[in-house]
Amino acid sequence: MKITLERLRYKGTFNKQGYKELPNGNVVNTNEKLFDFWFGYYKQSLSQSVSSNAFDFLKDKVTIIARHNDYFVQAMSDTSYSITLQAPNSKTYHVASINPDYEVNGYDTIVLSATGTTTTSN
């Protein structure tokens, strides 16, 4: 499959989990936006998916392609990073796996795992 800039039609947000202390002393989790990025959805045939993954692994997973960024690689081992996508997949995700492309103008293939948190648009 040829990957070109035209395939990157959707906008995602890369976040870092932070903490905020409320005036009453309680601490709440926050998602601090680090940057926006453009991505495209990566489609696999069912036979490719089954041969490379177990069915339970595929549940609540989305595979995307994006221009290479070292933050994506770091996010695979650090769950304090998350990615939020726009509709129709308005959820917060963690990086489950990544196939990084370190070449100039490379594209990463990223498998995202839903965290169960939905996002709301303002």
Side-chain angles (χ1 to χ4, degrees):
M1 168 182 44
K2 185 174 180 179
I3 300 172
T4 61
L5 283 175
E6 292 83 30
R7 296 217 33 217
L8 308 181
R9 296 181 255 183
Y10 305 96
K11 194 178 208 179
T13 305
F14 192 83
N15 310 298
K16 173 122 175 115
Q17 184 176 3
Y19 303 95
K20 179 179 178 183
E21 186 171 349
L22 300 176
N24 63 3
N26 291 341
V27 177
V28 295
N29 294 337
T30 60
N31 267 340
E32 299 171 10
K33 175 181 164 181
L34 295 179
F35 61 89
D36 289 330
F37 66 95
W38 293 95
F39 72 94
Y41 289 100
Y42 182 80
K43 306 274 191 252
Q44 286 183 323
S45 70
L46 182 59
S47 62
Q48 288 173 318
S49 297
V50 171
S51 67
S52 63
N53 302 302
F55 277 114
D56 59 344
F57 179 77
L58 295 174
K59 185 177 179 188
D60 294 327
K61 299 285 193 287
V62 176
T63 304
I64 63 170
I65 54 171
R67 295 293 295 265
H68 175 74
N69 190 316
D70 286 333
Y71 272 114
F72 296 134
V73 178
Q74 185 178 354
M76 189 171 136
S77 60
D78 186 351
T79 58
S80 66
Y81 292 107
S82 64
I83 293 175
T84 52
L85 305 181
Q86 296 177 346
N89 293 319
S90 300
K91 294 181 181 178
T92 301
Y93 296 89
H94 289 296
V95 175
S97 67
I98 184 169
N99 184 9
D101 183 356
Y102 293 103
E103 296 294 322
V104 175
N105 297 323
Y107 293 90
D108 295 343
T109 304
I110 307 165
V111 177
L112 303 176
S113 176
T115 62
T117 307
T118 58
T119 60
T120 56
S121 54
N122 295 334

